[in-house]
Amino acid sequence: MPDSPLFTAAAIAVIALAVAVVVGVGLKVIRSFRDLGTDAERATYNTLHAASRAGQHLRGGLQPAGAAKASRQLRVLLGCDALAITDTNAVLAWDGGGEELRSSLMGLAAEVLATGRTAVVPHVGHPGNQSGPAFSAVIAPIRAGSRVVGSVAALAPAAGAGLVRATSEVADWIAAQLELAELEASRTQLMEAEVRALRAQISPHFIYNSLNAIASFINTDPARARELVVEFADFTRYSFRRHGDFTTVAEELRCIDRYLLLERARFGERVQVSLRIAPEVLSTVIPFLSLQPLVENAVRHGLEAKEGPGHITICANDSGAFAEVTIEDDGVGMDPEHLRSVLAGHTDGDHVGLRNVDARLRQVYGDEHGLVIDTAPGEGTLITLRVPKSQPGHDA
């Protein structure tokens, strides 16, 4: 029966258990919150987190879409009623209230953009909306070197010294993010320039020799000449493609295969090649034209000057988190001191491919991932490169 003492006792027990569970969960949540640290530590974390999120949106430069997303985080950071970001011509983003003032902001920011000095504009109003909220504005310049490229405006009921300093710091922080964006763009342009330089080096030397080799077969072996023309077309199409800074080990090996087929048409059995390739590294992403120039270096500077046949061994191995590729020849080798001078850029016109590939690997992966080269006069050359198998953000 519902009114029985037994039922009542059971109900009380269930309720007591539920209360204990809720209290226990509540205490656990409170303890977890306290584990985050003191109020000051939590405030520091929130500030850094907001700055980090805003910074991600400014890495593409001072653009409307990125500025709009960053302004939300930066307004919270400053604790102001509204925040605007401008370039030198227009308001790029506005977050918060008082947006009826947006149309007049560029006029208020004109002096800041011209002089590069932070300004405080008290009692900002709008002629068409006298009943709207009255703000004071702190407008700070965003500098790129010696140039002013934009401004940050923080609007609040009163502009105290703290808001003035904080707004200036935010403007300087945005400038730093823009410098990082320019650095990344410059790095990309440098890589593209390095690839263009490598293509320019391939063009006169290899194309001239390949066409001569093809011409030598036109009368004696027309079928071979046609085959070489197709391989030459495929090689040049790959080498001079205009999209993508990265490729795969598999694609680069195909390029090497075409290159060696054309070189063997010229050298015959003087060039012998062995390959040992682990299938699991074929899909590894590597910088475009980072293996073929090393093989070309082995042919041009290792075997071409050697009497009799020469051998090139190309290996690609799985090495844990890395793919390791080695290119070894038994050619004439180099003086190690001369090699160091080449890689440092102190010797022009010699081993351009080696220096180019080494520089690009260091740009992409860091100095610890440059080429490792073992060589000595008369002892051949062994070149090793290691690239991470996982490369977020790099697409072939």
Side-chain angles (χ1 to χ4, degrees):
M1 294 295 292
D3 295 330
S4 68
L6 183 59
F7 177 83
T8 301
I12 292 171
V14 170
I15 293 170
L17 179 60
V19 170
V21 169
V22 170
V23 170
V25 170
L27 289 173
K28 185 175 181 180
V29 170
I30 291 170
R31 283 196 297 270
S32 297
F33 183 70
R34 286 175 178 168
D35 287 343
L36 290 175
T38 65
D39 290 342
E41 289 171 339
R42 284 193 290 273
T44 300
Y45 168 80
N46 290 333
T47 299
L48 293 174
H49 182 64
S52 174
R53 291 185 63 185
Q56 295 171 7
H57 303 306
L58 294 171
R59 290 299 172 84
L62 205 55
Q63 303 295 332
K69 294 177 181 178
S71 64
R72 301 185 192 117
Q73 303 296 330
L74 297 177
R75 183 173 71 84
V76 173
L77 202 61
L78 289 175
C80 55
D81 292 65
L83 183 133
I85 300 175
T86 81
D87 58 15
T88 56
N89 299 311
V91 178
L92 301 178
W94 186 291
D95 188 73
E99 194 162 355
E100 67 275 3
L101 304 173
R102 179 172 184 152
S103 60
S104 61
L105 181 60
M106 291 307 294
L108 298 173
E111 184 177 352
V112 173
L113 294 171
T115 64
R117 292 195 295 268
T118 299
V120 177
V121 185
H123 310 303
V124 175
H126 192 286
N129 186 19
Q130 297 297 334
S131 62
F135 291 112
S136 292
V138 179
I139 307 175
I142 301 171
R143 296 182 180 85
S146 60
R147 297 178 298 114
V148 176
V149 296
S151 67
V152 177
L155 279 69
L163 183 61
V164 174
R165 288 195 298 270
T167 305
S168 296
E169 289 296 331
V170 165
D172 290 344
W173 177 85
I174 291 175
Q177 303 309 303
L178 298 180
E179 287 178 1
L180 290 174
E182 289 183 3
L183 182 63
E184 183 64 27
S186 298
R187 186 173 122 177
T188 301
Q189 291 168 2
L190 179 60
M191 284 187 61
E192 291 173 352
E194 293 279 7
V195 173
R196 286 196 297 271
L198 191 58
R199 286 167 172 160
Q201 181 245 347
I202 290 171
S203 176
H205 177 87
F206 178 73
I207 291 177
Y208 176 79
N209 288 334
S210 295
L211 291 177
N212 273 344
I214 292 169
S216 69
F217 286 102
I218 289 176
N219 293 324
T220 60
D221 193 344
R224 179 84 184 278
R226 284 194 296 271
E227 177 190 3
L228 292 174
V229 166
V230 172
E231 295 296 338
F232 177 76
D234 288 341
F235 174 83
T236 53
R237 186 182 299 113
Y238 174 82
S239 300
F240 293 91
R241 73 180 190 180
R242 295 188 177 275
H243 65 279
D245 295 323
F246 295 88
T247 186
T248 63
V249 170
E251 285 293 325
E252 198 79 355
L253 288 174
R254 274 191 280 271
C255 175
I256 289 171
D257 183 56
R258 297 181 185 114
Y259 167 78
L260 288 173
L261 186 67
L262 291 162
E263 288 290 53
R264 293 188 71 177
R266 185 160 67 103
F267 288 107
E269 294 304 314
R270 283 188 58 200
V271 176
Q272 300 172 1
V273 182
S274 299
L275 288 92
R276 292 197 297 272
I277 310 297
E280 57 268 28
V281 304
L282 289 174
S283 60
T284 300
V285 173
I286 57 175
F288 179 64
L289 283 180
S290 57
L291 298 185
Q292 185 276 334
L294 305 184
V295 175
E296 182 170 353
N297 182 81
V299 173
R300 289 182 59 189
H301 300 288
L303 304 187
E304 192 168 348
K306 178 183 178 179
E307 293 184 7
H311 195 273
I312 299 173
T313 302
I314 304 169
C315 299
N317 299 310
D318 187 346
S319 181
F322 298 91
E324 184 175 277
V325 181
T326 61
I327 296 169
E328 184 175 12
D329 68 75
D330 60 359
V332 297
M334 303 180 251
D335 176 64
E337 286 300 322
H338 178 65
L339 174 62
R340 277 190 279 274
S341 177
V342 165
L343 296 180
H346 299 153
T347 305
D348 294 330
D350 193 11
H351 299 282
V352 175
L354 280 185
R355 183 170 68 249
N356 183 294
V357 173
D358 181 66
R360 286 191 291 130
L361 289 172
R362 292 175 188 275
Q363 289 167 15
V364 175
Y365 304 116
D367 283 340
E368 68 275 14
H369 289 285
L371 294 176
V372 177
I373 305 176
D374 296 319
T375 188
E379 299 296 327
T381 303
L382 171 64
I383 304 174
T384 304
L385 64 87
R386 283 165 57 89
V387 298
K389 287 193 294 185
S390 175
Q391 299 178 40
H394 293 164
D395 297 320

